[in-house]
Amino acid sequence: MVNALESDSKQTTLIPTNIYADIITNSLNYIDQYHSQIEQIRQFGLEYYSDRFSAEDYRDLVSRYKLDKLFEVIGIESQNTVKSLFSSFQSVAGMMVLCFSGMRINELQNLPFNAYSTSTYNNQKVYVLNGITSKKTVSGLRTATWITSNVIKKAIECLRVIGEIHKNY
């Protein structure tokens, strides 16, 4: 059916609103869970990647930072799956930044660490992302500002922590 729609029209087939709303709601809930323990995740990640741990030492590390319940909820069952703590979150948080900004994936991937900020316009707080657009001009790439929402603030904060952990890895 989708192929038939696409062949008859040049318009992109849309995701039904209720499915889109569920994806956003579930993603934001996941981000809230992650963000609620972001400082513990930071400390855990920095220590975890600074050394090698036996299975027992790994469990002790998880317990020390009180991440047992979060890891159980999001499916981090062992030391072998800990990298998914960061990669799955990056995917979900990145998707929310894309949803609430309208930027392209390559624009998201090139955002600087300090891209998220607020400005005031007509006495109202405006949330923005400052980066580089992939739309080329005669003189090359250019800077761009995307208006966004404060909804992605937690996602951005968590992505910064993941960036800090990876920088030290």
Side-chain angles (χ1 to χ4, degrees):
M1 181 172 166
V2 172
N3 289 338
L5 287 173
E6 288 178 356
S7 66
D8 293 342
S9 173
K10 292 185 180 185
Q11 185 171 358
T12 303
T13 305
L14 298 177
I15 298 172
T17 306
N18 60 332
I19 294 173
Y20 197 54
D22 283 348
I23 291 169
I24 291 172
T25 300
N26 290 333
S27 296
L28 293 175
N29 288 340
Y30 179 71
I31 290 167
D32 283 341
Q33 279 184 314
Y34 197 96
H35 189 269
S36 71
Q37 292 189 274
I38 194 60
E39 192 52 42
Q40 292 99 312
I41 291 169
R42 174 196 318 252
Q43 295 305 318
F44 168 83
L46 291 172
E47 188 169 341
Y48 177 79
Y49 286 114
S50 70
D51 204 353
R52 295 191 185 273
F53 291 90
S54 67
E56 186 177 322
D57 290 340
Y58 165 76
R59 284 190 295 277
D60 290 343
L61 186 65
V62 171
S63 293
R64 184 168 3 122
Y65 289 109
K66 298 175 177 48
L67 293 169
D68 310 82
K69 185 176 179 182
L70 176 67
F71 279 24
E72 183 180 323
V73 168
I74 62 177
I76 308 301
E77 298 169 357
S78 70
Q79 194 170 356
N80 297 332
T81 58
V82 76
K83 286 184 182 176
S84 66
L85 170 69
F86 303 112
S87 61
S88 65
F89 184 80
Q90 281 179 286
S91 297
V92 171
M95 182 177 66
M96 288 299 94
V97 172
L98 293 171
C99 284
F100 285 94
S101 69
M103 66 177 53
R104 295 172 177 84
I105 289 175
N106 61 333
E107 293 164 337
L108 171 68
Q109 292 170 334
N110 289 306
L111 282 177
F113 195 76
N114 61 347
Y116 183 79
S117 65
T118 58
S119 296
T120 303
Y121 182 75
N122 287 340
N123 295 322
Q124 299 234 340
K125 193 179 247 187
V126 179
Y127 303 90
V128 297
L129 291 164
N130 295 299
I132 298 172
T133 185
S134 59
K135 294 179 183 175
K136 294 185 179 178
T137 63
V138 175
S139 59
L141 299 176
R142 61 184 170 93
T143 60
T145 299
W146 291 268
I147 305 297
T148 189
S149 167
N150 65 338
V151 170
I152 66 164
K153 182 178 182 182
K154 290 179 182 178
I156 296 290
E157 289 171 356
C158 293
L159 288 169
R160 286 178 179 159
V161 167
I162 292 171
E164 178 186 343
I165 291 166
H166 284 289
K167 183 179 82 176
N168 290 303
Y169 173 47

